Amino acid sequence: MAAKSNGPIDTGRVIPGPTNPMVTPLLTDLYQFTMAYAYWKAGKHNERAVFDLYFRKNPFGGEYTIFAGLEECIRFIANFKLTEDEIAFVRESLSSSCEDGFYDYLRGVDCLGVEVYAIAEGTVVFPKVPLIRVEGPIAVVQLLETPFLNLVNYASLVATNAARHRFVAGESKNLLEFGLRRAQGPDGGIAASRYCYLGGFHATSNVAAGKLFGIPLRGTHSHAFVSSFMSPDEIIDKTLRSSDGQSTCEDFVSLVQTWLSKIKWSKSLNGTFGETNQSEVAAFTSYALAFPNNFLALVDTYDVMRSGIPNYCAVALALNDLGYKASGIRLDSGDLAYLSCEARKIFRIIEKEFGVPEFGKTNITASNDLNEETLDALNKQGHEVDSFGIGTYVVTCYAQAALGCVFKLVEINNQPRIKLSEDVTKVSIPCKKRSYRLYGKEGYPLVDIMTGENEPPPKVGERILCRHPFNESKRAYVVPQRVEELMKCFWPGTPGGVREDLPSLRDIRERCITQLKKMRPDHMRKLNPTPYKVSVSANLYEFIHFLWLNEAPVGELQ
Amino acid sequence: MAAKSNGPIDTGRVIPGPTNPMVTPLLTDLYQFTMAYAYWKAGKHNERAVFDLYFRKNPFGGEYTIFAGLEECIRFIANFKLTEDEIAFVRESLSSSCEDGFYDYLRGVDCLGVEVYAIAEGTVVFPKVPLIRVEGPIAVVQLLETPFLNLVNYASLVATNAARHRFVAGESKNLLEFGLRRAQGPDGGIAASRYCYLGGFHATSNVAAGKLFGIPLRGTHSHAFVSSFMSPDEIIDKTLRSSDGQSTCEDFVSLVQTWLSKIKWSKSLNGTFGETNQSEVAAFTSYALAFPNNFLALVDTYDVMRSGIPNYCAVALALNDLGYKASGIRLDSGDLAYLSCEARKIFRIIEKEFGVPEFGKTNITASNDLNEETLDALNKQGHEVDSFGIGTYVVTCYAQAALGCVFKLVEINNQPRIKLSEDVTKVSIPCKKRSYRLYGKEGYPLVDIMTGENEPPPKVGERILCRHPFNESKRAYVVPQRVEELMKCFWPGTPGGVREDLPSLRDIRERCITQLKKMRPDHMRKLNPTPYKVSVSANLYEFIHFLWLNEAPVGELQ
């Protein structure tokens, strides 16, 4: 099992391998190896190539994306080396006519001659702007294409999904990721927990992810726990020491039963409650005996209002007698808006009638197939939920299960290359580029601009023309109040070269949350968000269109 | 890295650990550990519990599902043991009030006392019928819930998705899985390749999956390879030995150019082709020099009909002169139906004009965001595609990104348990059960029936009443011509006990393909398929409803 992210890493220090040991140089498409052979055979394998990794469209019908997955890419290339066993398998998979020299070449391949520039992980990013620029010997960089895309695509998708859920839920709510059981495989689950946290979730149920990444863990019990009990008679050890250790309640089970009947006959509750399910109260009592400091009960196994809530209250009040504060309830079915409001009413009545301070504020967690839409609907309806447990929809990105990052050749041997397409959104932006985020007077980012690598950077206070890369009529002058260069060097081409540290997951999460707060609200809203502008410099615009005309065949109408 | 599936495993032999080393006892929800503690604290941890793993609804709007993921579950429990490091982390994650004795207990936990009955992997399965039944000490079995669901949910979902794609594509077509770059993380990709193959795909581009599972590999080159070339002048080594080794062509580049001009001036092609892109012909020539036996060209970098096709033909014809047979083309954009038909026409004309046998049958592969719908549309339109490369939509199960398998307690200490719900589709079927598939006269499966564990099994030729578990009016008598018990023992509760072998992936794939062919066609069709019937015995029906009434609170209308 890989080590955890150990925070900032000095240039001289070792970068650990990928978190998932299955991420090896063979985690790539076969054609990367057939191409590597063809490059090698043509003597082209060491030609210097520049590739951009970017996406073309924001996911989930939104106008922003969170960039994630960079650390794993860097861990991967920092440790890139084919084993003899792997080389033997490549040989088996390629044509038997391939020459032996190629396998000697593969034996020596590493990523020391590769340079990686990237936007910092956790940054809010937009279509067409390179997230990562990889430069190096073409045969080596091609081998990186598939793993880089694999490591970035899902990470960015799920981080964005998490950020969107957080946005809809509202800042005051707690978001818990409960998706492991429905995730797309083991590290579909582990990566989901990591990148949901990055995108603003507060905790996960996934113990392995907690251990690997230091994510706070949450969890109490399931319906099976409740139905595994038959009646309170099964509880053998009924004693519970008080919170301050000063006294011991010899029969906590009876104390709970006493409270159950007090609730039943309470004046202010006015006969709301009758008999409750005894298998449920047995389970709650037993759970409270095990975790008197963390009693949180799942209240919908039998009937929330007729059984779960009164049973919870009885156990919570019994705990209160011994100086413990119960943690709350979880609702996992039914009308969550209605049930949370009804539960809140009961908690408030009990606070008043029995004089238990804060009981009205009992934490209510809701789960059960929640997603952006249901959170939005709950908000519109009005609810009393404090925490949301979200599983399937956030981890599998059910609303859009893939992000379409691509990895395109933009330059080889200092010659810019363009990929044409009849679909203009699929035309690539050629050249080794730099990109900048320009900020306006109110502190909001206004536009991202890409320039040729050697153009002078935009300057604060100086007017600059920003052009849409493909639509000649779309252009605007901007006078930036702040200019931020987006890509930094995360992996220098030379050993010992200067590079950015890899921040801790917590720092990346902070960056993400801060960046999201800085965005102009109309880019963020769920319904009809305003697209954020992405542009190229006037020079780059001219060059793109020169190259385009040069490469495109002239049609003949017949 | 884990060993490959090594075929049938005798009871005495060691079962390797999970393929993904990240699958550990910590790959579970925290509440499994909090519950384990609460069970232990209540002295209930060794109570014998029975859980069923099943799903409630077939995915993708279909009426069948392929069961997959079992081997990984068995590998997991066969090696289930918490390390000291893992126990220390559990201790850190639970309340500090938890007693030390619990951690001693965890130290001793393994799955020797657990029994696993399951349907064979690769079987066609239906809602509500248990795929896996796990029996054992309740605290241990709970710890297995999340990993089992994680390992089965996505595996079954993607295998089903693959089978559906294969069904629409038709048996004569080759299906290639190209999804690694868009998959949900590294083993979202590796598992996708494995289970797409299981579901009937023929090959993958994923080298790691090829190595782990022996899946055939496919792949040639990308657009970047094409645009990395500028012109044929760059090609230095122009020699190519003939296929029989008898002669050497000193200038293969010129030979290709000669063919290009022959095609241009061909009478039957009648001026179809003009100048082609020289960077593209350079790339094709170079690729053919590297792989004269496996020349397959991606023909849409510039313009399929004006450049890609004539360039491919020139190189293929030059190879033909030297006794090599080119492998075909790949189309990755545009109107695949139209382009494949146009390409086929050209290939046929060339076969005739230049007398190249079989050239008309050149293999055409199509890729580019294919899914069930687009395959269906291509079929309706008419096309000449021989192989489909399918990525994003098959691996991420874009049409439905999650399968909802659940793991429900059905019995504890020989007491049947039921999970109620206001939503009747969510009510669980209680009791330790057996299940059978009953076949009719024509050899098709007619109905699955669940019975209590000790009921006599249905008999061939004997009439049996099959009842819908929840709808009293739905019932039918069946006289089975064949009776198949569905669940077999894959992990016996006692060391050395008899158990089923774990078949190889190839055998599981065969089982899946054979099973699908045996289904009545109306269950399989894409539009409005007929639901397959799932039933319970008369006895079990009575018992479910007795228990239901017993547990459900009686409402009061106010």
Side-chain angles (χ1 to χ4, degrees), chain A residues 124-145:
Chain A
V124 179
V125 291
F126 305 99
K128 299 195 269 294
V129 181
L131 307 175
I132 306 183
R133 186 180 80 207
V134 187
E135 184 178 344
I138 188 162
V140 180
V141 179
Q142 289 268 222
L143 291 175
L144 306 177
E145 173 177 18

PDB file of all heavy atoms in Angstrom, chain A residues 124-145:
ATOM      1  N   VAL A 124     -10.084  26.355 -10.001  1.00  0.00           N
ATOM      2  CA  VAL A 124     -11.261  26.384 -10.869  1.00  0.00           C
ATOM      3  C   VAL A 124     -10.756  26.594 -12.299  1.00  0.00           C
ATOM      4  O   VAL A 124      -9.991  27.525 -12.550  1.00  0.00           O
ATOM      5  CB  VAL A 124     -12.207  27.528 -10.462  1.00  0.00           C
ATOM      6  CG1 VAL A 124     -13.421  27.573 -11.383  1.00  0.00           C
ATOM      7  CG2 VAL A 124     -12.661  27.344  -9.019  1.00  0.00           C
ATOM      8  N   VAL A 125     -11.154  25.718 -13.211  1.00  0.00           N
ATOM      9  CA  VAL A 125     -10.612  25.769 -14.574  1.00  0.00           C
ATOM     10  C   VAL A 125     -11.730  25.729 -15.616  1.00  0.00           C
ATOM     11  O   VAL A 125     -12.876  25.401 -15.293  1.00  0.00           O
ATOM     12  CB  VAL A 125      -9.622  24.608 -14.820  1.00  0.00           C
ATOM     13  CG1 VAL A 125      -8.350  24.797 -14.012  1.00  0.00           C
ATOM     14  CG2 VAL A 125     -10.276  23.258 -14.512  1.00  0.00           C
ATOM     15  N   PHE A 126     -11.332  26.038 -16.850  1.00  0.00           N
ATOM     16  CA  PHE A 126     -12.312  26.221 -17.916  1.00  0.00           C
ATOM     17  C   PHE A 126     -11.883  25.514 -19.202  1.00  0.00           C
ATOM     18  O   PHE A 126     -10.706  25.199 -19.373  1.00  0.00           O
ATOM     19  CB  PHE A 126     -12.516  27.723 -18.138  1.00  0.00           C
ATOM     20  CG  PHE A 126     -12.908  28.409 -16.869  1.00  0.00           C
ATOM     21  CD1 PHE A 126     -11.957  29.081 -16.109  1.00  0.00           C
ATOM     22  CD2 PHE A 126     -14.202  28.313 -16.387  1.00  0.00           C
ATOM     23  CE1 PHE A 126     -12.304  29.667 -14.896  1.00  0.00           C
ATOM     24  CE2 PHE A 126     -14.556  28.893 -15.176  1.00  0.00           C
ATOM     25  CZ  PHE A 126     -13.602  29.569 -14.431  1.00  0.00           C
ATOM     26  N   PRO A 127     -12.853  25.301 -20.100  1.00  0.00           N
ATOM     27  CA  PRO A 127     -12.565  24.561 -21.326  1.00  0.00           C
ATOM     28  C   PRO A 127     -11.426  25.180 -22.135  1.00  0.00           C
ATOM     29  O   PRO A 127     -11.248  26.396 -22.124  1.00  0.00           O
ATOM     30  CB  PRO A 127     -13.870  24.651 -22.118  1.00  0.00           C
ATOM     31  CG  PRO A 127     -14.918  24.844 -21.088  1.00  0.00           C
ATOM     32  CD  PRO A 127     -14.276  25.676 -20.025  1.00  0.00           C
ATOM     33  N   LYS A 128     -10.722  24.370 -22.866  1.00  0.00           N
ATOM     34  CA  LYS A 128      -9.681  24.736 -23.828  1.00  0.00           C
ATOM     35  C   LYS A 128      -8.353  25.175 -23.195  1.00  0.00           C
ATOM     36  O   LYS A 128      -7.323  25.093 -23.849  1.00  0.00           O
ATOM     37  CB  LYS A 128     -10.158  25.831 -24.798  1.00  0.00           C
ATOM     38  CG  LYS A 128     -11.365  25.436 -25.642  1.00  0.00           C
ATOM     39  CD  LYS A 128     -11.588  26.355 -26.827  1.00  0.00           C
ATOM     40  CE  LYS A 128     -12.497  27.514 -26.580  1.00  0.00           C
ATOM     41  NZ  LYS A 128     -13.888  27.289 -26.298  1.00  0.00           N
ATOM     42  N   VAL A 129      -8.370  25.681 -21.972  1.00  0.00           N
ATOM     43  CA  VAL A 129      -7.120  26.114 -21.346  1.00  0.00           C
ATOM     44  C   VAL A 129      -6.369  24.872 -20.859  1.00  0.00           C
ATOM     45  O   VAL A 129      -6.938  24.060 -20.133  1.00  0.00           O
ATOM     46  CB  VAL A 129      -7.400  27.052 -20.157  1.00  0.00           C
ATOM     47  CG1 VAL A 129      -6.095  27.519 -19.530  1.00  0.00           C
ATOM     48  CG2 VAL A 129      -8.249  28.226 -20.599  1.00  0.00           C
ATOM     49  N   PRO A 130      -5.100  24.693 -21.268  1.00  0.00           N
ATOM     50  CA  PRO A 130      -4.377  23.488 -20.847  1.00  0.00           C
ATOM     51  C   PRO A 130      -4.304  23.377 -19.324  1.00  0.00           C
ATOM     52  O   PRO A 130      -3.959  24.339 -18.643  1.00  0.00           O
ATOM     53  CB  PRO A 130      -2.972  23.693 -21.419  1.00  0.00           C
ATOM     54  CG  PRO A 130      -3.123  24.698 -22.510  1.00  0.00           C
ATOM     55  CD  PRO A 130      -4.284  25.563 -22.123  1.00  0.00           C
ATOM     56  N   LEU A 131      -4.655  22.187 -18.832  1.00  0.00           N
ATOM     57  CA  LEU A 131      -4.504  21.920 -17.400  1.00  0.00           C
ATOM     58  C   LEU A 131      -3.077  21.469 -17.143  1.00  0.00           C
ATOM     59  O   LEU A 131      -2.471  21.814 -16.133  1.00  0.00           O
ATOM     60  CB  LEU A 131      -5.468  20.811 -16.973  1.00  0.00           C
ATOM     61  CG  LEU A 131      -6.938  21.033 -17.346  1.00  0.00           C
ATOM     62  CD1 LEU A 131      -7.761  19.806 -16.983  1.00  0.00           C
ATOM     63  CD2 LEU A 131      -7.471  22.276 -16.635  1.00  0.00           C
ATOM     64  N   ILE A 132      -2.572  20.696 -18.080  1.00  0.00           N
ATOM     65  CA  ILE A 132      -1.201  20.180 -17.985  1.00  0.00           C
ATOM     66  C   ILE A 132      -0.567  20.312 -19.366  1.00  0.00           C
ATOM     67  O   ILE A 132      -1.228  20.049 -20.383  1.00  0.00           O
ATOM     68  CB  ILE A 132      -1.193  18.684 -17.569  1.00  0.00           C
ATOM     69  CG1 ILE A 132      -1.987  18.455 -16.274  1.00  0.00           C
ATOM     70  CG2 ILE A 132       0.231  18.174 -17.418  1.00  0.00           C
ATOM     71  CD1 ILE A 132      -1.961  17.009 -15.771  1.00  0.00           C
ATOM     72  N   ARG A 133       0.693  20.733 -19.373  1.00  0.00           N
ATOM     73  CA  ARG A 133       1.455  20.735 -20.619  1.00  0.00           C
ATOM     74  C   ARG A 133       2.636  19.802 -20.404  1.00  0.00           C
ATOM     75  O   ARG A 133       3.390  19.980 -19.445  1.00  0.00           O
ATOM     76  CB  ARG A 133       1.944  22.143 -20.929  1.00  0.00           C
ATOM     77  CG  ARG A 133       2.631  22.251 -22.279  1.00  0.00           C
ATOM     78  CD  ARG A 133       3.108  23.670 -22.541  1.00  0.00           C
ATOM     79  NE  ARG A 133       4.357  23.931 -21.860  1.00  0.00           N
ATOM     80  CZ  ARG A 133       4.762  25.142 -21.456  1.00  0.00           C
ATOM     81  NH1 ARG A 133       4.000  26.205 -21.635  1.00  0.00           N
ATOM     82  NH2 ARG A 133       5.920  25.283 -20.848  1.00  0.00           N
ATOM     83  N   VAL A 134       2.764  18.809 -21.265  1.00  0.00           N
ATOM     84  CA  VAL A 134       3.849  17.840 -21.114  1.00  0.00           C
ATOM     85  C   VAL A 134       4.780  17.970 -22.309  1.00  0.00           C
ATOM     86  O   VAL A 134       4.331  17.933 -23.460  1.00  0.00           O
ATOM     87  CB  VAL A 134       3.314  16.395 -21.035  1.00  0.00           C
ATOM     88  CG1 VAL A 134       4.438  15.426 -20.703  1.00  0.00           C
ATOM     89  CG2 VAL A 134       2.199  16.277 -20.009  1.00  0.00           C
ATOM     90  N   GLU A 135       6.051  18.127 -22.030  1.00  0.00           N
ATOM     91  CA  GLU A 135       7.038  18.301 -23.091  1.00  0.00           C
ATOM     92  C   GLU A 135       8.127  17.263 -22.893  1.00  0.00           C
ATOM     93  O   GLU A 135       8.561  17.013 -21.771  1.00  0.00           O
ATOM     94  CB  GLU A 135       7.631  19.710 -22.968  1.00  0.00           C
ATOM     95  CG  GLU A 135       8.588  20.036 -24.076  1.00  0.00           C
ATOM     96  CD  GLU A 135       9.136  21.469 -23.979  1.00  0.00           C
ATOM     97  OE1 GLU A 135       8.546  22.291 -23.234  1.00  0.00           O
ATOM     98  OE2 GLU A 135      10.151  21.739 -24.627  1.00  0.00           O
ATOM     99  N   GLY A 136       8.546  16.641 -23.993  1.00  0.00           N
ATOM    100  CA  GLY A 136       9.622  15.653 -23.854  1.00  0.00           C
ATOM    101  C   GLY A 136       9.751  14.839 -25.115  1.00  0.00           C
ATOM    102  O   GLY A 136       9.104  15.126 -26.124  1.00  0.00           O
ATOM    103  N   PRO A 137      10.581  13.784 -25.079  1.00  0.00           N
ATOM    104  CA  PRO A 137      10.753  12.916 -26.246  1.00  0.00           C
ATOM    105  C   PRO A 137       9.396  12.312 -26.619  1.00  0.00           C
ATOM    106  O   PRO A 137       8.705  11.767 -25.748  1.00  0.00           O
ATOM    107  CB  PRO A 137      11.705  11.830 -25.736  1.00  0.00           C
ATOM    108  CG  PRO A 137      12.293  12.352 -24.471  1.00  0.00           C
ATOM    109  CD  PRO A 137      11.336  13.326 -23.902  1.00  0.00           C
ATOM    110  N   ILE A 138       9.042  12.401 -27.889  1.00  0.00           N
ATOM    111  CA  ILE A 138       7.662  12.072 -28.266  1.00  0.00           C
ATOM    112  C   ILE A 138       7.247  10.659 -27.858  1.00  0.00           C
ATOM    113  O   ILE A 138       6.118  10.445 -27.391  1.00  0.00           O
ATOM    114  CB  ILE A 138       7.399  12.318 -29.773  1.00  0.00           C
ATOM    115  CG1 ILE A 138       5.901  12.154 -30.073  1.00  0.00           C
ATOM    116  CG2 ILE A 138       8.255  11.420 -30.673  1.00  0.00           C
ATOM    117  CD1 ILE A 138       5.446  12.768 -31.365  1.00  0.00           C
ATOM    118  N   ALA A 139       8.163   9.697 -27.984  1.00  0.00           N
ATOM    119  CA  ALA A 139       7.776   8.313 -27.661  1.00  0.00           C
ATOM    120  C   ALA A 139       7.438   8.177 -26.174  1.00  0.00           C
ATOM    121  O   ALA A 139       6.521   7.445 -25.793  1.00  0.00           O
ATOM    122  CB  ALA A 139       8.896   7.347 -28.040  1.00  0.00           C
ATOM    123  N   VAL A 140       8.189   8.890 -25.326  1.00  0.00           N
ATOM    124  CA  VAL A 140       7.941   8.803 -23.883  1.00  0.00           C
ATOM    125  C   VAL A 140       6.637   9.523 -23.523  1.00  0.00           C
ATOM    126  O   VAL A 140       5.801   9.003 -22.778  1.00  0.00           O
ATOM    127  CB  VAL A 140       9.125   9.398 -23.083  1.00  0.00           C
ATOM    128  CG1 VAL A 140       8.858   9.305 -21.593  1.00  0.00           C
ATOM    129  CG2 VAL A 140      10.422   8.700 -23.453  1.00  0.00           C
ATOM    130  N   VAL A 141       6.460  10.712 -24.079  1.00  0.00           N
ATOM    131  CA  VAL A 141       5.271  11.494 -23.721  1.00  0.00           C
ATOM    132  C   VAL A 141       3.996  10.767 -24.160  1.00  0.00           C
ATOM    133  O   VAL A 141       2.987  10.777 -23.458  1.00  0.00           O
ATOM    134  CB  VAL A 141       5.359  12.924 -24.304  1.00  0.00           C
ATOM    135  CG1 VAL A 141       4.106  13.712 -23.954  1.00  0.00           C
ATOM    136  CG2 VAL A 141       6.589  13.636 -23.761  1.00  0.00           C
ATOM    137  N   GLN A 142       4.053  10.083 -25.304  1.00  0.00           N
ATOM    138  CA  GLN A 142       2.874   9.303 -25.731  1.00  0.00           C
ATOM    139  C   GLN A 142       2.514   8.230 -24.713  1.00  0.00           C
ATOM    140  O   GLN A 142       1.341   7.978 -24.466  1.00  0.00           O
ATOM    141  CB  GLN A 142       3.144   8.623 -27.079  1.00  0.00           C
ATOM    142  CG  GLN A 142       3.189   9.580 -28.216  1.00  0.00           C
ATOM    143  CD  GLN A 142       1.852   9.788 -28.918  1.00  0.00           C
ATOM    144  OE1 GLN A 142       1.833   9.836 -30.112  1.00  0.00           O
ATOM    145  NE2 GLN A 142       0.764   9.904 -28.192  1.00  0.00           N
ATOM    146  N   LEU A 143       3.535   7.600 -24.135  1.00  0.00           N
ATOM    147  CA  LEU A 143       3.261   6.550 -23.138  1.00  0.00           C
ATOM    148  C   LEU A 143       2.515   7.114 -21.931  1.00  0.00           C
ATOM    149  O   LEU A 143       1.848   6.385 -21.201  1.00  0.00           O
ATOM    150  CB  LEU A 143       4.558   5.879 -22.675  1.00  0.00           C
ATOM    151  CG  LEU A 143       5.281   4.997 -23.708  1.00  0.00           C
ATOM    152  CD1 LEU A 143       6.607   4.498 -23.143  1.00  0.00           C
ATOM    153  CD2 LEU A 143       4.413   3.803 -24.103  1.00  0.00           C
ATOM    154  N   LEU A 144       2.678   8.436 -21.700  1.00  0.00           N
ATOM    155  CA  LEU A 144       2.027   9.055 -20.537  1.00  0.00           C
ATOM    156  C   LEU A 144       0.579   9.446 -20.812  1.00  0.00           C
ATOM    157  O   LEU A 144      -0.189   9.732 -19.890  1.00  0.00           O
ATOM    158  CB  LEU A 144       2.805  10.307 -20.102  1.00  0.00           C
ATOM    159  CG  LEU A 144       4.296  10.111 -19.823  1.00  0.00           C
ATOM    160  CD1 LEU A 144       4.940  11.446 -19.471  1.00  0.00           C
ATOM    161  CD2 LEU A 144       4.495   9.118 -18.680  1.00  0.00           C
ATOM    162  N   GLU A 145       0.200   9.504 -22.076  1.00  0.00           N
ATOM    163  CA  GLU A 145      -1.119  10.036 -22.424  1.00  0.00           C
ATOM    164  C   GLU A 145      -2.260   9.350 -21.654  1.00  0.00           C
ATOM    165  O   GLU A 145      -3.041  10.002 -20.962  1.00  0.00           O
ATOM    166  CB  GLU A 145      -1.380   9.883 -23.937  1.00  0.00           C
ATOM    167  CG  GLU A 145      -2.804  10.273 -24.330  1.00  0.00           C
ATOM    168  CD  GLU A 145      -3.073  10.201 -25.839  1.00  0.00           C
ATOM    169  OE1 GLU A 145      -2.307   9.545 -26.559  1.00  0.00           O
ATOM    170  OE2 GLU A 145      -4.061  10.814 -26.282  1.00  0.00           O
TER     171      GLU A 145
END
